[in-house]
Amino acid sequence: MLLTTGYNFDGYKITSYLNVISAEVVLGTGIFSSLGSQFADLTGTRSGSYERKLESAKENALNELKKQAEFLGGNAIIGIDIDYTTFTSDILGVVANGTAVVIEPEESTVSNEKYIPVLSYNTKLPFNICNVVLRADDIFQNYSAALEIKSYNDAGKIKAIISDIEFKTIFNENINLKEYIFAVNQKYDDLLYSTDFIKVSCDQLRIDLIQKAYVKVKKVIYSGDETIIDMEDTIEQNQISQIPVNQLEALRQNYGRDVMCNTQVTEYSWICYCGMENSRRVIECERCHRKDNSIKKSTSLGDSVLKGNIIDTAISKKTAREIYEYVSSLDMKELEDLEYELKTLVRKESLFEENQKEEAIETIVRML
Ligand SMILES: [Zn+2]
């Protein structure tokens, strides 16, 4: 039971006020005037004995308060006030008052998890590691870490991964974690998921100073497969995003947590947010399936490169339905008639269970 003369406790919040409680303890009779047995105590060791009596009366009064608070379902008393009072001219007593309350430890307003953006990626992998999640396990600066991963297809879902992590502080110092094994235990449907947390053994993990992380994938086991895939030979493919962390965070808010760089268009290729460099002849990123914004924005079919792109992408699809979905996702007014024709083929495809891809491509070539 916590007691205070004040009205709050540091680190706790009061969740309910129960009742004002009060306890009276009679200190003794004849303190002042009588020549009774109490008075005998006052001779010789007068003050000492008197003080002890006062002290024990106060203690009894507080114990009585605690009992009352407990009876009311409280776990603390606030506003404790102790008075000495004479009940008659002869009897001294102690009166203790307070308010019984229920308190709860205050939840820290700061989350105990911190997301450290990962700025390294490897376009040979069917996933990007978006963040290292650092979790404070206690007040003694013990931490656990997990990886937040975005897989680009079901086959890229990870079961376990061995990786090195390099943290960079705002002073550009390195903190290295070597060969950490992260496992994914929970079932997940989403392609964005986190590994389980593992303990971090590192003395000088100044979590508030860490600004970014580079993660080097060394070995990986994909979900639904026991094969251990050694990534050593793709390590030279590791790339590090050069854009400042705050700009990266802004891009991630708009375009997804796996964004590694800004898009760029060159004469023959375009670089996707996921880091992949795609040929200008494909509109959709081969790795993460994002559309090339620069091409999507152009609304004129007069561009022969665009026509070629559309045909090439259509050829890479498996069914008329996929082709139709792709064409309608381009959201171009000039393609509305084509969309209508393709929709007819999609209906035919599902009605007769006959793949209409060839017909769809013929239609596109004819109509563009
Ligand atoms: Zn991409």
Side-chain angles (χ1 to χ4, degrees):
M1 174 109 22
L2 287 171
L3 308 176
T4 179
T5 55
Y7 293 90
N8 53 53
F9 299 94
D10 268 352
Y12 290 88
K13 58 171 186 254
I14 295 167
T15 56
S16 74
Y17 291 83
L18 300 171
N19 216 343
V20 175
I21 49 178
S22 167
E24 294 162 0
V25 172
V26 174
L27 186 61
T29 53
I31 294 286
F32 302 115
S33 56
S34 297
L35 295 166
S37 57
Q38 304 291 343
F39 187 75
D41 291 344
L42 299 178
T43 57
T45 55
R46 178 185 224 162
S47 61
S49 171
Y50 186 65
E51 266 164 25
R52 271 199 298 280
K53 273 187 187 295
L54 270 181
E55 206 44 57
S56 106
K58 203 173 119 185
E59 212 171 278
N60 288 341
L62 288 175
N63 282 336
E64 181 58 30
L65 275 192
K66 286 185 203 171
K67 271 187 214 156
Q68 288 185 31
E70 216 172 87
F71 179 75
L72 293 170
N75 60 0
I77 306 167
I78 59 168
I80 290 178
D81 175 44
I82 291 170
D83 276 324
Y84 300 95
T85 183
T86 49
F87 293 108
T88 67
S89 61
D90 239 10
I91 302 170
L92 184 66
V94 174
V95 181
N97 293 300
T99 303
V101 294
V102 179
I103 58 171
E104 269 175 23
E106 218 154 1
E107 283 159 40
S108 169
T109 48
V110 189
S111 162
N112 70 339
E113 280 182 8
K114 189 175 179 191
Y115 282 71
I116 313 287
V118 174
L119 274 76
S120 61
Y121 57 98
N122 180 343
T123 54
K124 293 281 171 202
L125 298 171
F127 59 86
N128 270 353
I129 297 170
C130 318
N131 288 291
V132 178
V133 191
L134 282 175
R135 188 184 70 190
D137 290 335
D138 51 42
I139 55 163
F140 306 109
Q141 300 205 320
N142 286 314
Y143 293 102
S144 292
L147 300 177
E148 187 188 53
I149 297 169
K150 168 82 178 183
S151 290
Y152 292 124
N153 54 51
D154 280 341
K157 284 183 177 178
I158 289 162
K159 189 173 177 184
I161 186 168
I162 299 181
S163 43
D164 291 347
I165 300 174
E166 183 181 325
F167 291 116
K168 284 262 184 205
T169 69
I170 52 175
F171 297 112
N172 217 26
E173 300 161 323
N174 291 347
I175 301 167
N176 290 301
L177 305 179
K178 289 275 177 201
E179 310 243 320
Y180 271 60
I181 305 173
F182 294 95
V184 179
N185 274 322
Q186 69 268 45
K187 279 199 166 34
Y188 54 88
D189 297 322
D190 205 346
L191 291 174
L192 179 72
Y193 55 94
S194 276
T195 66
D196 296 341
F197 280 90
I198 54 162
K199 286 244 169 298
V200 172
S201 49
C202 181
D203 295 336
Q204 292 280 307
L205 201 65
R206 307 276 304 274
I207 191 164
D208 293 333
L209 300 182
I210 296 174
Q211 193 190 32
K212 55 191 176 183
Y214 306 134
V215 179
K216 195 182 282 176
V217 177
K218 302 188 111 174
K219 287 187 171 67
V220 57
I221 300 176
Y222 289 105
S223 184
D225 191 353
E226 298 300 313
T227 321
I228 301 167
I229 298 164
D230 201 320
M231 302 308 301
E232 286 295 339
D233 50 343
T234 74
I235 276 179
E236 69 272 18
Q237 310 275 351
N238 276 326
Q239 295 187 58
I240 285 175
S241 181
Q242 299 303 327
I243 62 172
V245 171
N246 55 351
Q247 281 178 34
L248 185 73
E249 300 279 25
L251 283 175
R252 285 183 173 184
Q253 271 177 14
N254 288 327
Y255 302 107
R257 298 171 79 95
D258 62 309
V259 170
M260 287 296 164
C261 53
N262 210 342
T263 52
Q264 276 177 56
V265 181
T266 65
E267 197 177 343
Y268 302 106
S269 69
W270 59 280
I271 293 169
C272 176
Y273 288 119
C274 75
M276 182 77 183
E277 185 169 5
N278 295 285
S279 153
R280 274 302 294 269
R281 293 184 62 80
V282 292
I283 297 176
E284 193 184 279
C285 174
E286 286 176 9
R287 184 165 174 252
C288 73
H289 310 294
R290 281 183 176 89
K291 308 266 174 344
D292 175 2
N293 284 350
S294 61
I295 291 179
K296 200 181 165 191
K297 273 183 214 130
S298 78
T299 48
S300 165
L301 270 177
D303 184 355
S304 62
V305 175
L306 177 59
K307 282 183 188 176
N309 275 335
I310 294 173
I311 294 166
D312 284 354
T313 310
I315 289 169
S316 74
K317 303 288 176 190
K318 291 191 202 79
T319 60
R321 172 175 292 279
E322 283 183 23
I323 293 171
Y324 164 71
E325 283 168 358
Y326 158 66
V327 170
S328 57
S329 77
L330 293 173
D331 203 20
M332 289 171 66
K333 207 164 168 46
E334 288 165 281
L335 295 176
E336 273 175 3
D337 291 344
L338 175 61
E339 275 177 53
Y340 179 80
E341 294 287 322
L342 289 172
K343 205 166 185 176
T344 315
L345 289 173
V346 170
R347 245 179 253 129
K348 201 171 161 190
E349 194 171 70
S350 62
L351 262 177
F352 303 108
E353 290 180 11
E354 241 172 48
N355 193 314
Q356 298 290 317
K357 177 184 168 178
E358 294 307 316
E359 289 75 1
I361 288 167
E362 269 173 37
T363 308
I364 289 178
V365 173
R366 175 167 47 87
M367 293 187 71
L368 282 183

